[in-house]
Amino acid sequence: MSFIGRLGRLSGLAELAGRSLLDALYPLECAGCGGSGKIICDSCVDDLPVLSAPYCVVCATPGDFARCQVCAETARRFDGIRAPFRYSGAIRKAILEFKYSGIKAAAPQMGDMLAEYLDSNPLPGDVLVPVPMHRRRLRERGYNQAELLARRVADRCGLDCAPELLYRTRHVGPQAGTADAAQRATNVVGSVAVTSVAGATGTRVILVDDVVTTGNTLETCADALKRAGAVSVWGLTLAVAGGTRLGE
Ligand SMILES: [Zn+2]
Ligand SMILES: [Zn+2]
């Protein structure tokens, strides 16, 4: 079993031992080459699949078009989505480990990559809001990876972060196991709400998540924010899956 695999199996122990202790005992392993020290080492960073044009100007789905079919045919509730990478190779593996294998120590580096991207590709926004996780899943996982990213980007870019502004009103099962796109869309509609209308009114929000696939989750978050009076809602994610419908 790989080192990461063993570490994943140890994540249950982390609840007992404390994650920071576990993080200290087990150094990060590069998702690209397996080298020790970082979730993506300096040489593998140069090989990451950068998202470059052409892509949909609205949802950033890669493809030889100005707008993808979905964005051409429907009015999105978000103003746009941007991401530094395509969801493949080492960044995909790193995101999966960060999200599902308890590799919380990946957060600072992943957040820094997002902050650097936002620095050189500014989006309109006053406040960063992580895509919320249902409290049941949060209990299981121990952390919301989107919140860790948003907090890091906020620190690095001097923006406000409002991790409590959105919440999940009901538990949505794992999206990856739901093959049908329409069913996935139904699952997330109305499943997110704002905790404070006053907190959303008049704000320009940047939603933060690790990866965007169908855009359904960001759409739902943007809908809740705009109903509460948000002026604009952009999505900022580490990677965009585009074309592959893997679930969020
Ligand atoms: Zn490497
Ligand atoms: Zn699109």
Side-chain angles (χ1 to χ4, degrees), residues 64-114:
D64 194 10
F65 38 57
R67 285 169 190 248
C68 72
Q69 195 181 349
V70 178
C71 293
E73 291 175 357
T74 56
R76 296 291 217 169
R77 292 296 279 159
F78 49 73
D79 294 78
I81 297 172
R82 291 296 180 267
F85 304 111
R86 284 182 295 106
Y87 190 54
S88 68
I91 191 71
R92 177 175 178 274
K93 189 161 177 252
I95 287 171
L96 289 171
E97 286 169 359
F98 176 36
K99 195 166 173 172
Y100 297 117
S101 300
I103 315 293
K104 188 182 177 185
Q109 194 191 346
M110 306 282 259
D112 286 352
M113 287 194 286
L114 208 47

Side-chain angles (χ1 to χ4, degrees), residues 30-35 40-45:
C30 173
C33 67
I40 296 172
C41 76
D42 293 345
S43 74
C44 288
V45 161

Side-chain angles (χ1 to χ4, degrees), residues 77-78 166 168 185 188-192 215-225:
R77 292 296 279 159
F78 49 73
L166 293 176
R168 296 269 186 182
V188 293
V189 166
S191 62
V192 173
N216 290 341
T217 304
L218 289 175
E219 185 95 50
T220 304
C221 294
D223 185 62
L225 288 163

Side-chain angles (χ1 to χ4, degrees), residues 34-240:
S36 182
K38 291 180 163 186
I39 190 67
I40 296 172
C41 76
D42 293 345
S43 74
C44 288
V45 161
D46 295 334
D47 296 331
L48 290 181
V50 171
L51 174 65
S52 51
Y55 54 77
C56 174
V57 295
V58 183
C59 75
T61 293
D64 194 10
F65 38 57
R67 285 169 190 248
C68 72
Q69 195 181 349
V70 178
C71 293
E73 291 175 357
T74 56
R76 296 291 217 169
R77 292 296 279 159
F78 49 73
D79 294 78
I81 297 172
R82 291 296 180 267
F85 304 111
R86 284 182 295 106
Y87 190 54
S88 68
I91 191 71
R92 177 175 178 274
K93 189 161 177 252
I95 287 171
L96 289 171
E97 286 169 359
F98 176 36
K99 195 166 173 172
Y100 297 117
S101 300
I103 315 293
K104 188 182 177 185
Q109 194 191 346
M110 306 282 259
D112 286 352
M113 287 194 286
L114 208 47
E116 280 163 28
Y117 175 80
L118 184 61
D119 257 349
S120 44
N121 302 272
L123 295 175
D126 314 304
V127 60
L128 296 168
V129 176
V131 167
M133 184 180 280
H134 192 271
R135 61 183 185 281
R136 191 190 309 167
R137 194 177 296 177
L138 187 60
R139 263 201 312 274
E140 291 163 5
R141 193 171 296 175
Y143 59 92
N144 175 359
Q145 75 282 352
E147 180 180 340
L148 297 182
L149 289 175
R151 286 184 184 278
R152 184 75 176 192
V153 175
D155 281 351
R156 293 291 305 268
C157 298
L159 291 165
D160 286 332
C161 184
E164 312 291 338
L165 186 56
L166 293 176
Y167 72 103
R168 296 269 186 182
T169 56
R170 59 188 168 84
H171 183 66
V172 177
Q175 295 286 288
T178 314
D180 181 59
Q183 181 61 46
R184 278 201 304 269
T186 310
N187 277 349
V188 293
V189 166
S191 62
V192 173
V194 297
T195 53
S196 156
V197 171
T201 305
T203 58
R204 299 180 306 161
V205 173
I206 299 175
L207 281 168
V208 176
D209 207 355
D210 49 1
V211 59
V212 57
T213 51
T214 62
N216 290 341
T217 304
L218 289 175
E219 185 95 50
T220 304
C221 294
D223 185 62
L225 288 163
K226 288 210 166 159
R227 283 171 191 270
V231 175
S232 65
V233 179
W234 281 79
L236 175 66
T237 68
L238 268 171
V240 57

